[in-house]
Amino acid sequence: MRAFSVPLPTVLAGFVAVLVGYASSAAIIWQAADAAGATASQIAGWLTMLGIGMGFSTLALTLWYRAPILTAWSTPGAALLATSLPGSSINEAVGVFIFSSALILICGATGLFARLMRLIPHTLSAAMLAGILLRFGLDAFVALQGHFLLCGAMFAGWLLAKARAPRYAVVVALITGWVVCLVTGEFKTESITMSVVMPTFTAPHFSLSSLLGIGLPFFLVTMASQNAPGVATLKASGYSVPVSPLMVVTAAIALLLAPFGVFSVCIAAITAAICQGTEAHPDPAKRWLAAAAAGVFYLLAGIFGGSISTLLTALPLAFIHTLAGLALLSTIAGSLHQALNHERERDAAIVTFLVTASGITLAGIGSAFWGLVAGGICYGVFLTARRA
């Protein structure tokens, strides 16, 4: 009997999936936790539990269904939190995490996922997401003013890789930025420590303004921009997996771990595609091995979450802003394209986009919610006028 073995390209696919996931959004998660008022130790604990949550859920679903099912945190959701949480306490942030995960769990358990998504026009959801992410895209280029060499080199690396190997563009930008920081002395290596940080429990606090202004948009963004594309990617790759159990399992894990900083557990799309292609394994029936490898790497990343946190603090803020902005450029472009692609819904979508991007707060409720409300009103008025 031959010994069980996993091909090196399959293991590498799992590693690259996790690397791309962390490279594209760990900086955004750091900003979201910082916006909630989390301390450096608490942020390290968040990253620890996020890695463990992703690793456990990825392994559980992949091994159960023998399909390459990767989970991920909601990067657009983290971006929303980073822009919406300032002024809120960390206890309110945990309350938002629990509220959103509970809604997703209910949707999965009752089969409301598809029906709920149909209630909100896709163009408005895309416009809201683009408005949320706009600041991150702008910050990537604003950072050029004070750190031209660093940010310019990162952009050049991203551009060249995007033209030749788009999947690794963010990784190339990350490595380029590290090299520049090392050469210029902006990378404070003395502050990096290899440590295992135990996460701390944070009691949730629920307030109506934070649940409506942050929790509801966060739920909608997570469902529309993370879970829906994740399920679509899985099906497009030829894997027929029941949707409701995926929603229930991921939401239940997020709900359980929310007091420890796990703001979401979702079905991955971009990183999952790395483990669902021919590069992971020529046999589609064995590509689940790449996802299983990714689950193991997620667990390792979680164990050393404290080191990842100190690594981020050792880098200049311009590095984080540029990396986050470059990682989100495709998402911003895709969201704008989807929002404005339908001429009849274009005006309502642009209203949603502008109100969301404005950052206004009315009655203690953030701009993402009001953008959806304003766009929804326009959508309804225009639809009624056309039918009259």
Side-chain angles (χ1 to χ4, degrees):
M1 181 182 292
R2 291 195 309 171
F4 178 80
S5 63
V6 181
L8 180 59
T10 302
V11 176
L12 183 60
F15 174 76
V16 170
V18 174
L19 178 61
V20 169
Y22 270 89
S24 62
S25 58
I28 302 171
I29 294 169
W30 188 91
Q31 291 182 66
D34 183 63
T39 64
S41 177
Q42 286 173 320
I43 293 175
W46 282 29
L47 290 170
T48 295
M49 287 309 295
L50 281 166
I52 292 173
M54 299 305 107
F56 177 77
S57 55
T58 294
L59 282 171
L61 292 171
T62 293
L63 295 177
W64 180 262
Y65 288 108
R66 284 297 194 270
I69 304 171
L70 262 73
T71 60
W73 45 67
S74 173
T75 301
L80 183 147
L81 293 174
T83 57
S84 303
L85 284 177
S88 302
S89 67
I90 191 170
N91 304 87
E92 287 180 308
V94 171
V96 166
F97 303 163
I98 292 175
F99 175 72
S100 175
S101 296
L103 289 179
I104 296 174
L105 181 62
I106 292 170
C107 285
T110 59
L112 289 173
F113 175 62
R115 280 177 285 173
L116 184 62
M117 287 298 99
R118 284 197 294 267
L119 291 177
I120 302 170
H122 182 67
T123 52
L124 301 193
S125 297
M128 181 181 70
L129 177 59
I132 291 166
L133 301 181
L134 178 63
R135 181 177 69 83
F136 291 88
L138 294 176
D139 284 347
F141 298 99
V142 170
L144 284 166
Q145 286 185 326
H147 295 79
F148 182 82
L149 176 61
L150 170 62
C151 302
M154 291 178 70
F155 178 73
W158 173 87
L159 182 61
L160 293 173
K162 192 73 174 177
R164 295 290 184 178
R167 181 178 294 172
Y168 306 108
V170 174
V171 177
V172 171
L174 182 149
I175 295 172
T176 303
W178 272 349
V179 171
V180 173
C181 287
L182 282 171
V183 172
T184 60
E186 292 188 273
F187 188 17
K188 303 178 181 65
T189 55
E190 67 277 2
S191 63
I192 299 176
T193 58
M194 293 296 291
S195 60
V196 177
V197 177
M198 293 300 295
T200 57
F201 178 87
T202 302
H205 175 71
F206 303 96
S207 68
L208 185 60
S209 61
S210 64
L211 294 184
L212 288 179
I214 305 174
L216 190 56
F218 179 56
F219 159 71
L220 294 173
V221 165
T222 298
M223 292 293 274
S225 63
Q226 191 67 59
N227 278 326
V231 172
T233 300
L234 193 64
K235 290 184 176 180
S237 299
Y239 300 97
S240 298
V241 180
V243 175
S244 290
L246 298 184
M247 296 298 106
V248 170
V249 170
T250 53
I253 292 173
L255 193 62
L256 180 66
L257 301 181
F260 300 96
V262 176
F263 60 92
S264 68
V265 178
C266 311
I267 305 302
I270 297 173
T271 53
I274 297 173
C275 296
Q276 292 167 0
T278 55
E279 297 87 354
H281 202 289
D283 184 357
K286 294 183 179 180
R287 290 174 190 165
W288 65 270
L289 292 169
V296 174
F297 285 120
Y298 264 130
L299 289 175
L300 292 174
I303 292 172
F304 294 101
S307 302
I308 294 174
S309 178
T310 58
L311 175 63
L312 291 174
T313 57
L315 292 162
L317 197 57
F319 174 92
I320 296 174
H321 285 166
T322 304
L323 183 64
L326 292 176
L328 291 169
L329 282 183
S330 295
T331 304
I332 296 170
S335 298
L336 284 173
H337 174 74
Q338 294 172 45
L340 305 177
N341 195 38
H342 299 282
E343 185 176 354
R344 289 189 173 186
E345 301 174 14
R346 190 173 297 162
D347 290 332
I350 200 65
V351 168
T352 302
F353 169 72
L354 292 174
V355 173
T356 303
S358 71
I360 63 168
T361 300
L362 299 174
I365 300 175
S367 62
F369 176 81
W370 293 117
L372 202 57
V373 169
I377 292 172
C378 294
Y379 181 88
V381 170
F382 296 147
L383 183 63
T384 303
R386 284 196 296 268
R387 289 176 175 175

